[in-house]
Amino acid sequence: MSKRHLTAAEASARLNISPASLYAYVSRGLLRSEAGDGPSRARHYLVEDVDQLRSRKEARRDPNKVAQKALHWGSPVLDSAITKIDAGELYYRGERARELARTKSVEEVASLIWRGAFDAVSWPAASLTAHDRDALRRVKAVAGRLPASEQFEILLPLAAARDETAFDLRPVAVARTGARIVRLLTESVCGQTARNGIARALARRWAPNTADAERLISAALILCADHELNVSAFTARVVASGGSTPYSVVAAGLHALSGVRHGGESLRVEAMLHRSTHPRDARTFISTSLRSGERVAGFGHQLYPDGDPRAQHLLEALRTRRKKLDPIGEAMIDAMFDLAEEHPTIDFALVMLTRALDLPQGSPLTLFALGRSIGFIGHAIEQYETGEMIRPRARYAGR
């Protein structure tokens, strides 16, 4: 039996109920059952359904305990129709993200996330407004040496101050604002118009002589677009729930994303690979890190015990391109699996991509930030539509 299923006896024991009660839950639609593969065709029950039902029972007994668990890799705390993570796969509005990365453009996926269809958003034909270009010049003059993601955080409030439509929070208006924001951030990075496509503009700036750069950059942006209620997406939704503009929502999400335990993880991966000068050193480095109790950056994602599908897609694309990855990175992947059975995450794959295309240092976080800005806009639209304020209660633990 797969790890995703339980027998009737196991499910009953986990829920502390009788088999008769288990079957009653199935008939009421609270549990899904599936026929087994053996001759008896005994019914099996999905682990996620059983655990969700158990959490609901616990919530009735001890709401404080469950609220605490929900905010730490626990049960969902908000409804969302954007992203689903299920059985080791990532989906945007029911579409498998890996397939979207192969077949759709960044703009089409943004439209899907924001409005539910690939062609629901009209991207502006014109380049930036005079006000946007002025904001860009001012940021470059005072903060041009900062990483791109930090420049974004300065640029967004400047652009918002001159956007008279920023407080129009209707879904169609927010999608238009989102398109302007993503274009603005892209042109901040590449210094040229993104009218012909976000991925194309970045490829022309970073790797003008590399034929497949646009395809790979597009895939990276799409795979980074959203990832359910992570730290930055939850931050974005909280800010949106207060009625702030999409500019503030994206800026807040980017602030949260930059942390070294979130999107900033790629900076640690870059530093780790920079310190490794030869593939033969990889195993020693990994072994020493594990022996000393250090976490190896860019490996092991709690939601993907069998491997991050986003990383798998990018790494497969790079292997197909060159038949092998960067030798040091490949050696680290092999060593980490041999010694700890851990798989690379999207952070590691983004660094491998930038090494393969010879992109500037810090590009992994820039790609992550640009891609995830699309998701922030999607979460803002959902939150504005609910009209609800996100205001959790604190469980007092003082004197």
Side-chain angles (χ1 to χ4, degrees):
M1 188 189 309
S2 86
K3 297 178 182 177
R4 298 180 59 224
H5 295 86
L6 299 171
T7 65
E10 290 169 336
S12 298
R14 189 172 292 201
L15 292 169
N16 195 27
I17 58 176
S18 68
S21 296
L22 181 74
Y23 305 143
Y25 283 138
V26 173
S27 66
R28 288 158 53 194
L30 298 175
L31 289 174
R32 289 171 288 177
S33 70
E34 299 176 354
D37 297 329
S40 67
R41 305 291 289 174
R43 308 297 291 183
H44 295 158
Y45 304 85
L46 288 168
V47 170
E48 62 182 279
D49 286 0
V50 174
D51 286 346
Q52 285 179 7
L53 189 56
R54 184 171 66 173
S55 294
R56 287 166 61 182
K57 294 176 67 178
E58 289 177 351
R60 289 193 291 270
R61 292 195 299 268
D62 187 356
N64 288 334
K65 177 181 176 183
V66 176
Q68 183 183 25
K69 286 175 59 181
L71 292 174
H72 184 72
W73 293 96
S75 301
V77 294
L78 289 171
D79 289 334
S80 176
I82 297 173
T83 296
K84 181 177 178 63
I85 299 170
D86 181 57
E89 282 293 347
L90 174 68
Y91 300 86
Y92 300 149
R93 297 201 183 276
E95 303 282 348
R96 197 163 78 141
R98 286 203 263 191
E99 186 63 23
L100 295 175
R102 271 191 288 268
T103 61
K104 299 297 180 181
S105 69
V106 176
E107 287 79 4
E108 287 175 318
V109 173
S111 178
L112 174 71
I113 289 174
W114 296 344
R115 304 292 291 138
F118 295 120
D119 59 354
V121 175
S122 297
W123 289 74
S127 188
L128 303 182
T129 66
H131 297 313
D132 287 342
R133 287 194 294 272
D134 179 59
L136 272 175
R137 284 193 297 270
R138 293 163 66 187
V139 171
K140 295 300 180 182
V142 300
R145 295 182 181 274
L146 291 178
S149 58
E150 295 182 29
Q151 293 183 45
F152 295 165
E153 295 165 13
I154 302 169
L155 173 62
L156 286 166
L158 291 177
R162 305 299 292 271
D163 186 347
E164 296 177 342
T165 66
F167 277 98
D168 187 345
L169 305 185
R170 295 172 301 156
V172 65
V174 177
R176 285 196 297 264
T177 302
R180 287 197 297 272
I181 288 173
V182 176
R183 280 270 185 86
L184 175 64
L185 300 184
T186 302
E187 297 196 20
S188 171
V189 174
C190 63
Q192 55 185 278
T193 180
R195 285 180 301 184
N196 295 322
I198 293 163
R200 179 168 298 179
L202 292 168
R204 285 179 174 175
R205 172 64 175 175
W206 281 340
N209 300 317
T210 305
D212 56 353
E214 180 181 345
R215 175 179 61 85
L216 292 168
I217 289 171
S218 176
L221 292 170
I222 289 169
L223 293 168
C224 288
D226 193 54
H227 205 233
E228 202 200 62
L229 284 181
N230 49 63
V231 172
S232 57
F234 186 71
T235 299
R237 286 194 82 120
V238 171
V239 173
S241 78
S244 297
T245 71
Y247 291 90
S248 296
V249 170
V250 174
L254 291 174
H255 278 294
L257 182 75
S258 64
V260 295
R261 296 173 64 184
H262 191 11
E265 172 92 346
S266 62
L267 300 175
R268 299 181 63 217
V269 176
E270 283 187 299
M272 176 180 73
L273 289 169
H274 184 70
R275 291 196 302 270
S276 303
T277 58
H278 196 279
R280 65 170 173 265
D281 299 331
R283 192 176 186 88
T284 301
F285 175 87
I286 298 293
S287 177
T288 301
S289 298
L290 294 174
R291 194 179 298 118
S292 62
E294 295 179 12
R295 187 180 69 83
V296 180
F299 286 91
H301 197 297
Q302 193 160 347
L303 293 178
Y304 302 115
D306 297 322
D308 186 336
R310 302 166 298 172
Q312 290 170 357
H313 179 90
L314 284 181
L315 295 176
E316 287 168 7
L318 291 173
R319 289 189 178 106
T320 301
R321 176 180 185 264
R322 292 280 182 89
K323 306 303 180 186
K324 60 180 180 180
L325 294 177
D326 173 274
I328 296 175
E330 192 78 89
M332 284 202 166
I333 292 173
D334 293 341
M336 195 61 185
F337 186 78
D338 287 345
L339 297 173
E341 294 189 0
E342 293 279 14
H343 301 274
T345 65
I346 183 64
D347 309 281
F348 193 91
L350 288 172
V351 175
M352 289 295 96
L353 172 65
T354 59
R355 286 166 76 95
L357 297 179
D358 196 25
L359 305 187
Q361 187 172 2
S363 297
L365 180 53
T366 301
L367 286 169
F368 207 146
L370 278 172
R372 190 55 55 87
S373 295
I374 293 169
F376 297 155
I377 297 295
H379 283 287
I381 290 172
E382 275 199 334
Q383 196 60 42
Y384 293 145
E385 286 188 288
T386 70
E388 297 175 351
M389 174 81 81
I390 298 175
R391 204 296 191 184
R393 293 296 309 278
R395 189 167 62 94
Y396 180 67
R399 288 171 56 186

